């Protein structure tokens, strides 16, 4: 006799639950699931098989309409799930997440929606930081990217409704043009759950050293019969920008009485206009000045003559000390708009068949506007005179007064948009009572466009008495010795526009099968095809108005420029500022007394109209134009087992995954002949194979205790920028970076061991140990040399950079990725979650969750360290005179440090209260300092200081269908402090974003 799908599912045991983990967690009895108008049927592992290893879709509906169903029990048979306790809201979502974790063989954590279209946080990344082992990186005060167990965003794979994808936004100071996933692209209301897979399975998509993260939207067949409608509206207010903005969301779904057809649509919209205020140095650097305390360092002032500083003298001392490259204060405005839409249609004509079609659209638009008042010490030290200075114990020119300072004000505007599309479908079929399959496929595309990225610059190149003091690194005093509000002092000297476009797309087809061989043994197998393509194009309309020593300007041809040795009142190096400017007031940027706070900056519209910027022909940026395509084919076989061994219950899965990667990388090479520059595409193809075994074991020594262990081989493919043939040139920092299309993937062996104690309903104490031996770890190789030694044509140097006028003005730092010797990582996660239902009175409505993560790692990096000498005058081997006065080579330095993006400690805690009408939450998250990446100009590494973020929310149910809410994020107005050089911790930036409050209501029927 053939069992029906319902009977087959009712016979569920723990083995293989990882295949249907998400659905199992949401199909609990009333004790843990409080959102089912009609409790969905219990789902056997892989039934439907599309939920391998987590479902493409989940749905959660109100508990007050749920019907207890003993068959829905998915915990170990002996476990006490507290079936007589009914929980709702936030407590229920925590219980569902705990149940998911408990009932999987591999290591899984989750965040589950409190209700339909009601994710528990304003941002998906901010929810993820509550999971042990996960830290987030914020941009403009919002979570953008995640780090899992010390591994950065590029090591995490993200799937939306079961399909791997990349959502690339143009947000942040620099656009994401890599494999990292930007969580700020999506409105959180579109999702019902996030599932994080921390250990690998053969049946789980490869490509992650960190984790696989599933973002799941709702499915209508798991909802209640009939029509469901939800609408919410909030007004957000930021106390720094003092701006209000709307946040709206809605969902409409329908399921027929027979439960065979369902359809759902949802939408969300948000608009914010917030500020980021603070200071910035754009790193620190060494450089030789014109004079020191009245002592000339050259025989001729201002860019001429021969160096006369003596070794170890004041000119050498100040020249070899580090000074801020561009000390400045300013503001960044983030005007953001998000629109998200989802749609799902499901048809289940029989118990054995289910067809689903899902679509997701998201649009993220931002206008980023920056206003700065600064001094351009960078590459202009030769014209400046230093006096009244102090050099501290870290060899920092920590304070100084500077004459002939190059004062600059900047106005930057970037308009950007990211559009994300995804459509996917699945066919789940039970062929017999022991064999089933899923055929699924889909397509996603992310377009990140920047039609406008404009900067205009006012310069005053002979300011007297400029001073700075970085004794307090985070709150420097910056005082300008000239009027920075008088148009007569400024000239419009530089124009820039750098439009770009980045496109990612994924095509996926997968076949998954399951065969119940015998009681306690299941075989899963499958095949997959994925095609990923990445294409980015960059263009430039940059121009320095007077790039040459005299002659006519190159923008309009209407002024006669003076030689660059003339920096005095008669110098002509740009157009008179006249009526091309506007006044900018700094505001509350954390500046101490004595800091200049008002500047004349260029007006974007007036300057663009005057110079005809947008009518200029855009040139191709060679380093920013590249593409990568990857085709991955392969398959897997996995054995799921369960049973008793010497009286000890166990569940396990073991298998092998095979992936063949065919990679094609394209970049541009540039050559100039006869004054004509030709860009030629260069394509490099390669392929490689990976065999990835994985085993997960869960033991049950007691009904409330689970012990887990896992060993697996994992990979992450190289970063996209590193794969580009050819090189890119940074003429501001005298750096050349070459790509390497022959880079190997990051390959590692991962070990995991954990113990979990489920001591009460919705309660858990767990400890997890993990280690990753990373055998292949691409690192940057660096050397110092002349630009000529790179073999690149001069035409690739950006026209607006200092190096365009003096390509051999100093030695270049030349670097590129190479296959390194590997790295190691180890750590521990501790998590405690408790619901105080055992306490008397109102105290039983309290609960908390807390976790701590401790991680350490070691990797070797090669970088250019500080220059140790100033070149003295002499004669070259060819007999040419050497005037001296430039920095010596940056010596190649190898240092051991942690992996990039790794915080050694992270803590998260949430205290909550919830009764029938009122709920409240307060959350604190801490992340310790971390290295963000390699630096430049002689600094070893750069990174971020520790952060503490505090959020809270209040909700009150006026009626069963309507509730009011008040929420606050970043309640302590935490500053983001960034540094350069791991030893000296020099200031890079210190900015804050203000507190954000949201007030609103939510209606459900």
């Amino acid at each position: 006799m053939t069992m029906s799908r319902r009977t087959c599912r009712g016979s569920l045991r723990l083995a293989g639950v990882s295949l249907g983990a998400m659905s199992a967690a949401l199909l609990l009895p009333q004790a843990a699931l409080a959102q089912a108008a009609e409790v969905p049927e219990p789902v056997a592992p892989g039934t439907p098989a599309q939920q391998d290893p987590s479902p493409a879709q989940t749905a959660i509906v109100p508990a007050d309409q749920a019907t207890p169903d003993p068959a829905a029990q998915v915990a170990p048979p002996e476990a006490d799930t507290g079936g007589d306790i009914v929980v709702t809201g936030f407590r229920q979502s925590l219980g569902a997440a705990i149940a998911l974790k408990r009932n999987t063989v591999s290591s899984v954590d989750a965040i589950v929606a409190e209700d339909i279209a009601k994710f528990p946080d304003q941002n998906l990344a901010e929810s993820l930081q509550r999971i042990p082992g996960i830290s987030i990186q914020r941009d403009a005060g919002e979570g953008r990217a995640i780090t899992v167990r010390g591994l950065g965003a590029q090591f995490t794979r993200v799937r939306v409704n079961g399909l791997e994808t990349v959502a690339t936004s143009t947000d942040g100071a620099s656009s994401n043009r890599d494999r990292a996933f930007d969580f700020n692209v999506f409105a959180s209301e579109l999702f019902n759950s996030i599932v994080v897979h921390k250990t690998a399975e053969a049946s789980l998509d490869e490509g992650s050293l960190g984790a696989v993260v599933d973002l799941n939207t709702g499915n209508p067949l798991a909802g209640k019969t009939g029509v469901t409608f939800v609408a919410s509206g909030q007004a957000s207010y930021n106390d720094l920008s003092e701006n209000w903005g709307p946040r709206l969301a809605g969902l409409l779904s329908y399921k027929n009485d027979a439960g065979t057809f369902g359809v759902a649509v949802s939408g969300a919209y948000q608009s914010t206009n917030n500020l980021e205020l603070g200071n910035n140095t754009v790193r620190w650097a060494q450089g030789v000045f014109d004079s020191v305390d009245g002592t000339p360092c050259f025989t001729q002032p201002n860019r001429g003559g021969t160096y006369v500083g003596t070794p170890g003298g004041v000119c050498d001392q100040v020249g070899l000390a580090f000074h801020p490259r561009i000390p400045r204060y300013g503001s960044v405005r983030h005007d953001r708009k998000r629109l998200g839409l989802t749609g799902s249609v499901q048809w289940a004509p029989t118990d054995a068949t289910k067809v689903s079609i899902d679509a997701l659209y998201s649009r993220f638009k931002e206008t980023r506007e920056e206003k700065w008042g600064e001094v351009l010490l960078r590459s202009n030290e030769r014209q400046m005179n230093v006096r009244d200075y102090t050099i501290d114990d870290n060899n920092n020119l920590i304070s100084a007064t500077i004459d002939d300072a190059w004062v600059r004000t900047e106005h930057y505007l970037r308009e950007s948009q990211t559009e994300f599309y995804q459509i996917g479908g699945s066919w789940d079929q039970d062929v017999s009572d022991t064999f089933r399959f899923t055929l699924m496929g889909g397509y996603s595309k992310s377009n990140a466009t920047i039609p406008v990225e404009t900067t205009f610059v006012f310069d005053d190149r002979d300011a007297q008495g400029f001073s700075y003091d970085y004794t307090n690194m985070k709150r420097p005093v910056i005082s300008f010795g000239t009027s920075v509000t008088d148009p007569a002092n400024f000239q419009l000297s530089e124009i820039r526009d750098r439009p770009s476009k980045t496109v990612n797309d994924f095509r996926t087809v997968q076949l998954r099968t399951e065969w119940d061989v015998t009681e306690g043994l299941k075989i899963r197998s499958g095949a997959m095809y994925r095609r990923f393509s990445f294409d980015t194009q960059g263009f430039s309309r940059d121009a320095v108005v007077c790039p040459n020593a005299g002659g006519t300007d190159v923008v309009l041809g209407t002024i006669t420029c003076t030689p660059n040795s003339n920096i005095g009142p008669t110098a002509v190096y740009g157009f008179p500022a006249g009526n091309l400017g506007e006044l900018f007031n700094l505001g509350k940027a954390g500046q101490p007394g004595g800091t200049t706070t008002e500047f004349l900056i260029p007006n974007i519209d007036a300057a663009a109209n005057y110079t005809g910027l947008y009518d200029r022909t855009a040139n191709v940026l060679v380093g920013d134009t590249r593409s990568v395509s990857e085709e991955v084919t392969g398959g897997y076989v996995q054995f799921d087992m369960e049973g008793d061994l010497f009286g000890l219950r166990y569940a396990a899965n073991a298998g092998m995954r095979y992936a063949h990667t065919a990679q094609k990388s394209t970049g541009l090479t540039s050559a100039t002949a006869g004054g004509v520059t030709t860009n030629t595409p260069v394509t490099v193809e390669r392929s490689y194979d990976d065999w990835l075994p994985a085993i997960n074991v869960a033991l049950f020594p007691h009904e409330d205790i689970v012990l887990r262990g896992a060993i697996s081989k994992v990979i992450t493919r190289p970063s996209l920028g590193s794969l580009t043939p050819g090189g890119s040139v940074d003429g501001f920092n005298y750096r050349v970076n070459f790509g390497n299309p022959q880079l190997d993937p990051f390959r590692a062996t991962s070990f995991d061991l954990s113990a979990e104690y489920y001591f009460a309903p919705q309660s858990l104490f767990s400890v997890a140990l993990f280690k990753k031996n990373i055998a292949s770890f691409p690192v940057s190789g660096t050397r110092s040399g002349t630009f000529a030694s790179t073999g690149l044509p001069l035409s690739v140097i950006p026209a607006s950079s200092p190096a365009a006028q003096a390509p051999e003005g100093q030695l270049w730092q030349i670097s590129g990725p190479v296959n390194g010797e590997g790295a190691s990582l180890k750590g521990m996660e501790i998590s405690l979650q408790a619901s105080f239902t055992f306490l008397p009175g109102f105290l039983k409505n309290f609960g908390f969750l807390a976790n701590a993560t401790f991680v350490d790692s070691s990797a070797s990096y090669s970088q250019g360290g500080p220059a140790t000498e100033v070149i003295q005058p002499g004669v070259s081997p060819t007999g040419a005179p050497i005037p001296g006065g430039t920095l010596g080579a940056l010596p190649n330095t190898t240092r051991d440090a942690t992996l990039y993006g790794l915080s050694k400690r992270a803590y998260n805690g949430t205290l909550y209260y919830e009764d029938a009408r009122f709920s409240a939450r307060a959350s604190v998250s801490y992340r310790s300092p971390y290295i963000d990446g390699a630096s430049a100009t002689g600094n070893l590494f750069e990174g971020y200081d520790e952060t503490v973020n505090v959020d809270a929310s209040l909700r009150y149910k006026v009626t069963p269908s309507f509730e009011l809410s008040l929420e606050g994020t970043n309640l302590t107005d935490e500053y983001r402090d960034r540094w350069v050089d791991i030893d000296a911790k020099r200031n890079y930036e210190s900015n804050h974003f203000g507190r954000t409050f949201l007030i609103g209501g939510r209606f459900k029927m």
Side-chain angles (χ1 to χ4, degrees), residues 412-477:
Y412 168 93
L413 179 70
R414 183 175 71 197
E415 297 177 358
S416 62
Q417 175 173 291
T418 296
E419 285 191 295
F420 177 87
Y421 313 80
Q422 178 176 290
I423 185 166
S426 63
W427 170 26
D428 305 308
Q429 185 67 48
D430 282 5
V431 179
S432 69
D433 59 348
T434 61
F435 184 77
R436 63 196 67 88
F437 72 82
T438 287
L439 178 64
M440 69 180 301
Y443 173 77
S444 69
K445 185 176 184 179
S446 177
N447 292 332
T449 57
I450 303 178
V452 174
E453 187 170 11
T454 297
T455 305
F456 286 101
V457 169
F458 280 167
D459 280 344
D460 175 9
R461 299 183 180 178
D462 67 337
Q464 308 301 308
F466 167 76
S467 66
Y468 69 81
D469 187 347
Y470 277 82
T471 302
N472 181 343
M473 272 288 183
K474 297 178 181 179
R475 306 289 183 269
V477 179

Side-chain angles (χ1 to χ4, degrees), residues 588-888:
K588 301 174 182 178
Q591 69 275 15
T595 298
T596 303
T597 59
E598 191 173 43
F599 308 89
L600 181 77
I601 64 172
N603 178 281
I604 294 285
D605 292 337
N609 290 334
Y610 181 78
T611 60
L613 173 64
Y614 301 123
D615 295 327
R616 294 174 60 85
T617 300
N619 298 315
V620 174
L621 285 175
V622 175
D624 289 340
T625 301
R626 58 186 189 271
S627 64
V628 176
S629 67
E630 291 175 347
E631 287 193 354
V632 179
T633 54
Y636 65 90
V637 175
Q638 179 172 304
F639 299 87
D640 289 2
M641 299 153 282
E642 69 167 356
D644 296 287
L645 183 63
F646 304 112
L648 178 65
R649 291 184 54 242
Y650 75 91
N653 62 56
M656 177 71 74
R657 186 175 187 89
Y658 166 72
H660 172 77
T661 304
Q663 194 175 80
K664 182 186 296 184
S665 305
T666 300
L668 297 180
T669 60
S670 180
T672 301
V676 178
T677 299
T678 302
N679 295 319
T680 304
V682 175
T683 299
V684 177
E685 297 185 25
R686 68 170 303 199
S687 63
Y688 50 87
D689 300 285
D690 286 280
W691 295 90
L692 304 169
I695 181 170
N696 292 267
V697 178
L699 304 176
F700 306 93
H702 185 272
E703 63 183 17
D704 296 324
I705 296 176
V706 182
L707 303 178
R708 303 185 195 278
I711 303 175
S712 60
K713 294 279 190 180
V714 291
I715 66 166
T716 288
R717 295 174 177 91
S719 62
L720 300 172
S722 299
L723 293 171
T724 305
S728 62
V729 177
D730 179 354
F732 294 93
N733 301 307
Y734 286 84
R735 288 192 296 178
V736 175
N737 289 288
F738 284 95
N740 182 356
Q742 299 297 335
L743 281 179
D744 291 333
F746 298 84
R747 292 187 172 103
T749 303
S750 183
F751 304 88
D752 292 82
L753 186 65
S754 66
E756 301 158 11
Y757 176 34
Y758 299 86
F759 56 90
Q762 298 93 48
S763 300
L764 164 67
F765 175 70
S766 67
V767 177
L769 303 175
F770 54 88
K771 182 178 181 181
K772 297 182 188 294
N773 293 331
I774 305 173
S776 173
F777 190 82
V779 296
S780 178
T782 304
R783 66 178 177 88
S784 290
T786 63
F787 186 79
S789 72
T790 67
L792 296 172
L794 295 175
S795 59
V796 302
I797 302 177
S800 60
S801 66
Q805 285 73 58
E808 305 296 352
Q810 67 182 63
L811 291 175
W812 290 69
Q813 188 173 334
I814 305 163
S815 61
V818 296
N819 292 314
E821 297 180 355
S824 64
L825 178 150
K826 59 184 177 182
M828 176 173 63
E829 300 168 356
I830 303 173
S831 179
L832 177 61
Q833 182 171 324
S835 176
F836 300 159
T837 53
F838 57 89
L839 294 177
F842 75 95
L843 295 176
K844 67 183 178 183
N845 298 319
F846 280 95
F848 80 98
L849 56 154
N851 64 72
T853 303
F854 306 92
V855 189
D856 198 6
S857 67
S858 179
S860 293
Y861 301 93
S862 176
Q863 299 183 67
T868 58
E869 64 174 346
V870 176
I871 302 299
Q872 298 296 312
V875 178
S876 73
T878 63
I882 298 174
T886 59
L887 296 174

Side-chain angles (χ1 to χ4, degrees), residues 142 170-171 184-187 244-247 268-274 333-340 361-368 416-419:
E142 296 183 345
T170 56
D171 193 18
N184 56 0
V185 170
F186 299 111
W244 289 87
R247 186 181 184 104
Y269 174 79
Q270 181 185 25
S271 176
T272 59
N273 192 349
N274 296 335
R333 178 174 67 90
H334 303 271
D335 185 357
R336 296 173 166 177
K337 294 177 174 62
R338 288 186 186 85
L339 173 66
Y361 170 79
S362 181
R363 187 185 68 199
F364 176 76
K365 299 179 68 175
E366 185 194 37
T367 297
R368 180 186 178 100
S416 62
Q417 175 173 291
T418 296
E419 285 191 295

